[in-house]
Amino acid sequence: MVSYIHDRADFMAGRTTVQERVDFFLSSIDDQSVLNAWLFVDRDQARAAALAADERFAAGLARPLEGCVVAVKDNISVKGMPMTCASRMLDGFTPVYHATVIERLLDAGAIILGKTNMDEFAMGSSNETSAFGAVLNPHDPSRVPGGSSGGSAVAVAASMCHVALGSDTGGSIRQPAAFCGTVGLKPTYGTVSRYGLTAFASSLDQIGPFASTVDDAALVFDVMAGQDPLDSTSLTREQPSMATRPPSSIRVGVIPPATMEGCDRAIIHAYHNAIDTLRAHGTSIHEVSLGNTDVWVPTYFVLATAEASSNLSRFDGVRYGFRAEPTEDLDMMTATRTAGFGAEVKRRIMLGTFVLSAGYVDAYYGKAQKARRLISDTYAAMFADVDVLLMPTTPTTAFRLGEKNSDPVAMWLSDLFTVSANISGIPAVSVPTGKDDHGLPIGLQVQGPLHADALVMAVASLITS
Ligand code: GLN
């Protein structure tokens, strides 16, 4: 993996150039094309931007992310680059504006190298639902990279860019980060503008960075964060005053052993090692109660599918991309949605439509909203007693391609440890903390109260290997 902050020192000192680095990334993309991480790469533009960045370094005019090469998940708008959300539905669609995060990265000097493969419309945990084929894990190509931002995780893990953007609705940054051995941050809901992100479940979606180090992730986050008039849910960022606290003042919550039943032994082992490391740094360790964790995944899937069924109604063959011809039995819109969406997306739309339907809305959607409040209240009460919470990111390391495809519920249950941060809006970062017996990366997660993004990253950097 290649750290931008490390490279930047070399660019500054003239030891290497941004152009050399871009060429390195481009050949790394070519050499590892079998991983299927990219859907679009803009070589010429990247080379031209690298030349301009080198000139700025030489002139002493480098901006905070000058020459930082960024991969962008293909559900985030980059003006002039095709955007598919890894779906046939958006065939031929090219956005005419930048997402706010892209504007901010470009203003800071970043180079947008291209768009990465993903689960279709960000729905999945394995990157196997992409209409453009699965992405493979660079640590073992017979295994999944995680999802839905699998292409972005692989682009960082396989040294094809400095940093990558993903979106996290129920774990889609943190889970692939864990499976591929990178850092992945899901910021506090509202901290990073969603303008230009294709909505999956608007009350849960957040854009965040993948990076080789916590410091790189923090730098990119700092550039992207901040209020945006184009996103009505975006928040003014509170100052990260807790970031500089000495470790001895930090109270770390840990989960009871029963909550980790069903986790790989290697992950439980890594969890205990991390606790020892945190103790050695002087933090205090406290076992906390998370209430009934069995309700997390069902609550997430009711809320996420309900919102998705509404958000995806815009893909009707009229407004964007793909359009199918009507048939004798199907009108144009039905024919378009039948041919344009893959199986997982259809499953979500049907489930979401069901939980919102008259007669069932109180029993499912209404109940899930109450459960959401309960989960958030439980977290808030816990964060009165501790400053951060340490959890595994995933119950297992990367599973095999095809392993969970015939059982959607087993796939959904693998999101156990990630969905609660989206349900309650809190920040969470996954960091690599070693490997299992197969050499597969293990990720652990630090969560904190709303707006404690800087603190969770500071604690995460204490435990990362
Ligand atoms: N794996 C989860 C899902 O399938 C999360 C997806 C996401 O965060 N975009 O919904």
Side-chain angles (χ1 to χ4, degrees), residues 249-389:
S249 75
I250 297 175
R251 299 162 301 170
V252 178
V254 296
I255 58 178
T259 312
M260 284 192 292
E261 261 171 31
C263 286
D264 284 356
R265 272 199 23 234
I267 290 180
I268 297 176
H269 187 68
Y271 190 76
H272 291 300
N273 278 346
I275 293 173
D276 290 344
T277 306
L278 286 171
R279 212 181 256 122
H281 279 289
T283 68
S284 60
I285 306 292
H286 309 266
E287 190 170 297
V288 295
S289 164
L290 298 170
N292 185 359
T293 55
D294 290 349
V295 303
W296 288 356
V297 171
T299 301
Y300 167 77
F301 274 95
V302 172
L303 295 174
T305 56
E307 293 186 33
S309 70
S310 163
N311 275 325
L312 269 59
S313 64
R314 74 194 61 179
F315 301 108
D316 55 8
V318 177
R319 298 175 177 82
Y320 309 92
F322 174 70
R323 175 181 299 175
E325 291 302 320
T327 65
E328 242 172 61
D329 305 323
L330 303 178
D331 59 60
M332 185 280 286
M333 287 185 192
T334 312
T336 298
R337 289 168 67 83
T338 302
F341 289 135
E344 181 67 17
V345 173
K346 286 178 185 156
R347 183 178 295 126
R348 307 272 180 125
I349 292 173
M350 286 194 289
L351 183 57
T353 307
F354 173 74
V355 301
L356 288 174
S357 57
Y360 292 103
V361 64
D362 292 338
Y364 292 102
Y365 184 67
K367 201 163 173 185
Q369 282 184 308
K370 287 181 188 154
R372 179 177 204 168
R373 167 55 49 209
L374 218 59
I375 294 164
S376 302
D377 288 350
T378 306
Y379 260 105
M382 181 190 65
F383 284 131
D385 297 331
V386 295
D387 300 299
V388 294
L389 174 68

Side-chain angles (χ1 to χ4, degrees), residues 12-313:
M12 287 278 201
R15 283 189 290 271
T16 180
T17 64
V18 181
Q19 293 173 85
E20 279 170 333
R21 192 42 105 188
V22 165
D23 285 340
F24 168 84
F25 287 142
L26 289 174
S27 47
S28 171
I29 290 170
D30 290 339
D31 295 346
Q32 302 174 91
S33 57
V34 63
L35 300 178
N36 200 22
W38 296 79
L39 295 178
F40 180 80
V41 179
D42 195 339
R43 291 161 192 272
D44 294 342
Q45 188 173 294
R47 288 206 180 94
L51 180 72
D54 283 329
E55 284 167 6
R56 279 191 169 254
F57 274 111
L61 295 172
R63 295 163 288 177
L65 289 178
E66 199 71 51
C68 179
V69 178
V70 183
V72 179
K73 185 178 183 178
D74 203 24
N75 60 351
I76 299 171
S77 278
V78 179
K79 186 172 156 184
M81 289 191 189
M83 179 165 85
T84 65
C85 294
S87 179
R88 275 196 76 194
M89 189 55 110
L90 282 173
D91 222 12
F93 173 69
T94 301
V96 293
Y97 62 90
H98 286 315
T100 297
V101 290
I102 301 298
E103 294 277 9
R104 292 190 178 175
L105 292 176
L106 288 171
D107 285 349
I111 297 172
I112 307 298
L113 184 52
K115 308 297 290 289
T116 54
N117 204 346
M118 53 184 280
D119 278 304
E120 184 177 7
F121 284 107
M123 297 173 186
S125 305
S126 67
N127 226 298
E128 294 167 294
T129 73
S130 166
F132 303 104
V135 178
L136 312 184
N137 191 313
H139 298 273
D140 176 351
S142 71
R143 293 177 189 266
V144 304
S148 63
S149 319
S152 287
V154 171
V156 170
S159 301
M160 300 164 169
C161 59
H162 285 121
V163 296
L165 299 189
S167 64
D168 191 312
T169 304
S172 280
I173 293 173
R174 290 161 287 153
Q175 187 251 22
F179 280 11
C180 293
T182 79
V183 174
L185 169 70
K186 185 212 82 84
T188 298
Y189 181 79
T191 314
V192 175
S193 168
R194 290 181 295 110
Y195 181 72
L197 169 69
T198 307
F200 163 7
S202 314
S203 76
L204 304 162
D205 298 339
Q206 265 296 277
I207 294 174
F210 289 87
S212 57
T213 68
V214 175
D215 287 347
D216 276 30
L219 176 62
V220 173
F221 169 67
D222 278 339
V223 168
M224 293 195 300
Q227 214 275 332
D228 176 14
L230 297 172
D231 173 359
S232 61
T233 59
S234 93
L235 302 170
T236 308
R237 200 173 155 210
E238 289 171 20
Q239 285 311 305
S241 53
M242 305 217 293
T244 51
R245 290 170 51 165
S248 59
S249 75
I250 297 175
R251 299 162 301 170
V252 178
V254 296
I255 58 178
T259 312
M260 284 192 292
E261 261 171 31
C263 286
D264 284 356
R265 272 199 23 234
I267 290 180
I268 297 176
H269 187 68
Y271 190 76
H272 291 300
N273 278 346
I275 293 173
D276 290 344
T277 306
L278 286 171
R279 212 181 256 122
H281 279 289
T283 68
S284 60
I285 306 292
H286 309 266
E287 190 170 297
V288 295
S289 164
L290 298 170
N292 185 359
T293 55
D294 290 349
V295 303
W296 288 356
V297 171
T299 301
Y300 167 77
F301 274 95
V302 172
L303 295 174
T305 56
E307 293 186 33
S309 70
S310 163
N311 275 325
L312 269 59
S313 64

Side-chain angles (χ1 to χ4, degrees), residues 174-176 178-179 263-264 267 391-398 414 417-418 441-445:
R174 290 161 287 153
Q175 187 251 22
F179 280 11
C263 286
D264 284 356
I267 290 180
M391 283 216 287
T393 308
T394 54
T396 67
T397 51
S414 70
F417 294 117
T418 49
I442 294 171
L444 295 181
Q445 182 181 202

Side-chain angles (χ1 to χ4, degrees), residues 392-404:
T393 308
T394 54
T396 67
T397 51
F399 45 87
R400 290 190 186 282
L401 287 156
E403 190 176 322
K404 294 189 199 280

